[in-house]
Structure formats: C-alpha cells, structure tokens
Amino acid sequence: MTRTTRPFVEIDRVSMRFGGIAALCDVSFAVPERAIVGLIGPNGAGKTTLFNCISRLYQPQSGDIRVQGKSILHAPVHEMPAFGIGRTFQNLALYPALSVEANVMVGAHPLVNCSALAEALGMPWARRAEASARARVREVLEALGLERQASRLVAQLTYADRKRVEIARALVCRPRLLLLDEPAGGLHHEEVAVLAALIRSLRDAHGLSVLLVEHHLNLVMTVSDHVVALDFGHKIADGPPAQVRNEPAVQKAYLGEMDDAALA
Ligand SMILES: Nc1ncnc2c1ncn2[C@@H]1O[C@H](COP(=O)(O)OP(=O)(O)OP(=O)(O)O)[C@@H](O)[C@H]1O
C-alpha cells in the first residue's frame, strides 16, 4: 500500500493542565496517513494525556486536534465514531468473566446503531444489524488469529492473547487511526517481535495510521516510521527513529530511567 505524507491527524499546539501540573505544553506534530508514529517519553511525560485528548476523554485547555482537516475537539462526542479512531488501554480494559467474542462485540456497539428498545423487541432491522456486527467480530478475530479462542473467557487467556483481544476490539469498527497504549507492556521478548509484525501487517493490510505509545524503545524504534519524544509535557524531538534516538535531549530525558542499551 502506498504511503503518503498527508497528515491523517494533526496535533496543533495542544496544552493541558491539571491544576498546577502542565501535562502538555504547546505540543504539535502530525501522524501521516498510513504511517506508524511512535510516541515516547519518560514516566509522566504526557503520553497518555495526549491519547486521552485524541480520544476525547480529556478536553485540552488550548490548541486543536484535527482528523483529515476537521477539528475533533469542536465536534459533538456522539460524532466521534465517524472520525475512525480506535484505541487500546495501558491497563487492559477487558471483561475477564466474558468470552473473547463478547468482549470484542462491546467494540462493535456503534455498528449495531439501533435503539435499545428495537434490540429488546428483536425487531428485524435490529437482528440484521446484530448479525452483521457478529460477522464483523468473527472476521476480526480471524485476522488476529483468535478465532479458536472466541468462546473462551478472557480470564483463561494468556496475557499476550488478552492484548490481542484489546486490539481486536479497537479494530472492529474499522478505524482509520489506531491508538495503541503500551501494547508491549508485560510481554516477553518473542511476543514483542510477534507484536511488531502484527502492527506492521495491520497497517499494511488496512491502510491504518498508527500512533503507538510505548516504553519498549526497541519496539518503537523498529516498527515506527517516525518518532515523537515528550518530556515534562514538551516535545523534545520529532523525526525518523535513528535521528530521535541520537537526539541529546532524548538521551538526557531517559538518563537514569533505563540502561543506555535501550537507546543504543
Ligand atoms: N487525571 C489527572 N489528574 C491530575 N494529574 C494528572 C492526570 N493525568 C495525568 N496527570 C499528570 O500529568 C502528567 C502527565 O501524565 P501522563 O499519564 O500523561 O504521562 P505518561 O507519559 O503517560 O506517563 P506513563 O509513561 O507513566 O504512563 C503527570 O505529571 C501526571 O501525574
């Protein structure tokens, strides 16, 4: 699939404070169409706050966020599905006592798009919408190699498979932008390599733009086309992985956080 440099998302001078804490200070960068952009920074740098602004959980005090040129911050929250943003959460936000299929079905809710009454009464259009959402869920489970786990409870899965379920749920509504919040957290070395291949293949197969928050720097540097680094809410670097890795401000921000090998 051809990549372009046209921005899919533009973060434009976004600032967000929590009382006296400046979590984001005038942060600007773009996620080009079909690009994988890694967002790095030490603990407390502002990465999750930015994700929460893009998914409209937080409203920044100033700046704008545009998807294909249209401001999401000025759009009503119920219009958000139309912007095509899917996300996963740092601490898995799954229902352990429900099946894999049921968990992914939760993400398909916007596809059903019928009143609760129509669903409860089993109206024909509600049944058709639900059948089509179930078909989509099965398609995504298959794409992620989870089809044989569909009826298992999430509580019975390995941690790596739970992470896949989160990604499946984020994909079910056919997003154009996938926000991945620490997908490698808690994974073993080999599982991280599998994850890297999965992220690339999802981008290639579906033409997705991906914004990846990750502490696993080797994964970020391997998989990203472009890397943005934050520190104390400020953008300190923005460029190709090799350039950002060697940026003195990035090296300094990480000093003491992790061994130098992570950045070598
Ligand atoms: N809801 C909140 N209320 C108050 N302060 C907050 C809130 N959310 C984040 N912060 C503060 O904003 C700053 C940025 O936090 P954020 O969680 O965005 O950083 P992060 O880069 O995602 O860190 P980590 O890598 O540890 O997840 C921190 O100082 C944090 O304590």
Side-chain angles (χ1 to χ4, degrees):
M1 187 148 328
T2 331
R3 265 176 247 161
T4 70
T5 51
R6 242 192 340 256
F8 184 75
V9 183
E10 293 161 281
I11 312 294
D12 184 6
R13 307 189 67 178
V14 168
S15 295
M16 172 103 211
R17 299 186 72 85
F18 297 101
I21 298 169
L24 294 171
C25 308
D26 242 6
V27 172
S28 298
F29 66 91
V31 181
E33 284 181 349
R34 300 183 186 125
I36 301 174
V37 174
L39 183 60
I40 63 167
N43 289 331
K47 305 177 298 293
T48 300
T49 301
L50 185 60
F51 258 35
N52 287 341
C53 292
I54 301 173
S55 29
R56 292 293 302 277
L57 295 176
Y58 292 163
Q59 183 78 15
Q61 281 90 9
S62 61
D64 202 2
I65 298 174
R66 290 182 291 274
V67 170
Q68 293 187 302
K70 191 172 173 203
S71 170
I72 62 169
L73 299 183
H74 298 104
V77 172
H78 70 263
E79 281 182 11
M80 284 306 289
F83 284 100
I85 301 173
R87 86 168 271 185
T88 66
F89 289 84
Q90 191 172 330
N91 304 311
L92 296 173
L94 297 171
Y95 301 99
L98 294 183
S99 70
V100 168
E101 186 178 20
N103 269 275
V104 178
M105 192 70 188
V106 171
H109 181 69
L111 299 177
V112 178
N113 199 20
C114 289
S115 71
L117 184 62
E119 280 185 60
L121 295 175
M123 303 309 265
W125 62 89
R127 284 207 305 271
R128 273 198 299 275
E130 183 171 338
S132 124
R134 285 200 183 283
R136 172 66 186 153
V137 167
R138 280 195 297 276
E139 192 178 282
V140 171
L141 291 179
E142 205 168 305
L144 290 181
L146 285 166
E147 70 276 24
R148 289 169 61 191
Q149 320 257 39
S151 56
R152 292 188 73 194
L153 301 184
V154 160
Q156 300 171 320
L157 300 184
T158 62
Y159 192 66
D161 279 345
R162 291 184 205 193
K163 292 249 167 185
R164 259 170 202 265
V165 175
E166 267 248 322
I167 296 176
R169 189 171 58 185
L171 284 174
V172 79
C173 279
R174 296 188 174 85
R176 301 276 320 278
L177 170 73
L178 187 58
L179 304 174
L180 296 175
D181 198 351
E182 296 198 27
L187 299 187
H188 305 304
H189 187 67
E190 303 82 55
E191 292 168 338
V192 173
V194 173
L195 175 68
L198 175 67
I199 295 172
R200 277 213 211 87
S201 75
L202 290 175
R203 184 272 304 277
D204 293 342
H206 306 287
L208 292 175
S209 306
V210 179
L211 183 58
L212 167 71
V213 161
E214 194 42 78
H215 279 289
H216 196 296
L217 291 184
N218 283 338
L219 171 70
V220 177
M221 297 300 175
T222 313
V223 89
S224 306
D225 302 301
H226 198 92
V227 176
V228 174
L230 298 178
D231 192 23
F232 291 114
H234 292 268
K235 187 174 86 171
I236 55 169
D238 183 348
Q243 181 190 314
V244 169
R245 187 174 43 208
N246 294 322
E247 201 73 58
V250 174
Q251 302 265 351
K252 189 161 169 250
Y254 275 99
L255 220 58
E257 274 257 330
M258 50 188 51
D259 58 298
D260 287 356
L263 281 165

